[in-house]
Amino acid sequence: MKKEHRKEERFYEFGRVEAGQISVLPGVLDDISETGCRVHFTNPVDVDMENDYTLLIRLARGNCGRGLNLLGHPCWVKSDGSKTYIGFSFLRSPDTPELINCINCFKSDSGSDETIAGMFESSGSGFVYAL
């Protein structure tokens, strides 16, 4: 498997992304870092690579409050016909300090057994299969 070398650590957080300039339907957050995020839309969308877009990101974890209002610039777009994937880099935004706080929470949580994955790993329990 090819290892990715990135400037900032990515966190595979689930969330809703409202980008009214791109689609009337919300997108789904696939991952987020201090410098950007990957979002997918369940419908084909057109993205102008020269524009900046306002993204309202509501994370599934409640520790980021009301949501993050961030300005994103599209870096890449991939479409498979029914879905569109977009990589955004974040520009200086009103909620940049709040984003940094959320990322710091994710970093501190990643070393903790409080995450769901950590609970499974630390319990040592296996899965039971029913026939």
Side-chain angles (χ1 to χ4, degrees):
M1 188 162 110
K2 183 176 159 184
K3 182 172 172 131
E4 293 184 46
H5 296 283
R6 299 220 167 242
K7 186 174 159 182
E8 300 293 336
E9 183 178 2
R10 285 183 182 190
F11 296 92
Y12 296 93
E13 293 293 322
F14 181 75
R16 175 185 174 131
V17 180
E18 295 174 20
Q21 300 156 306
I22 296 174
S23 174
V24 294
L25 300 174
V28 178
L29 181 70
D30 293 323
D31 66 48
I32 191 166
S33 73
E34 287 183 22
T35 57
C37 67
R38 181 177 64 198
V39 177
H40 77 266
F41 292 87
T42 57
N43 56 307
V45 297
D46 290 321
V47 178
D48 183 348
M49 299 298 287
E50 301 299 318
N51 281 349
D52 299 330
Y53 295 96
T54 300
L55 307 173
L56 179 59
I57 301 174
R58 298 180 192 278
L59 296 165
R61 282 203 236 186
N63 57 346
C64 286
R66 60 179 166 54
L68 301 168
N69 186 8
L70 301 168
L71 191 60
H73 184 80
C75 297
W76 55 266
V77 177
K78 292 180 185 174
S79 182
D80 68 5
S82 63
K83 290 184 182 177
T84 305
Y85 298 86
I86 307 170
F88 289 98
S89 65
F90 294 138
L91 305 173
R92 184 76 180 150
S93 306
D95 285 344
T96 297
E98 186 65 29
L99 170 66
I100 302 300
N101 289 338
C102 287
I103 296 297
N104 288 335
C105 286
F106 300 155
K107 286 178 182 177
S108 66
D109 287 350
S110 67
S112 165
D113 283 344
E114 294 299 316
T115 64
I116 292 173
M119 286 188 261
F120 282 113
E121 291 169 3
S122 65
S123 70
S125 58
F127 290 97
V128 177
Y129 297 96
L131 298 176

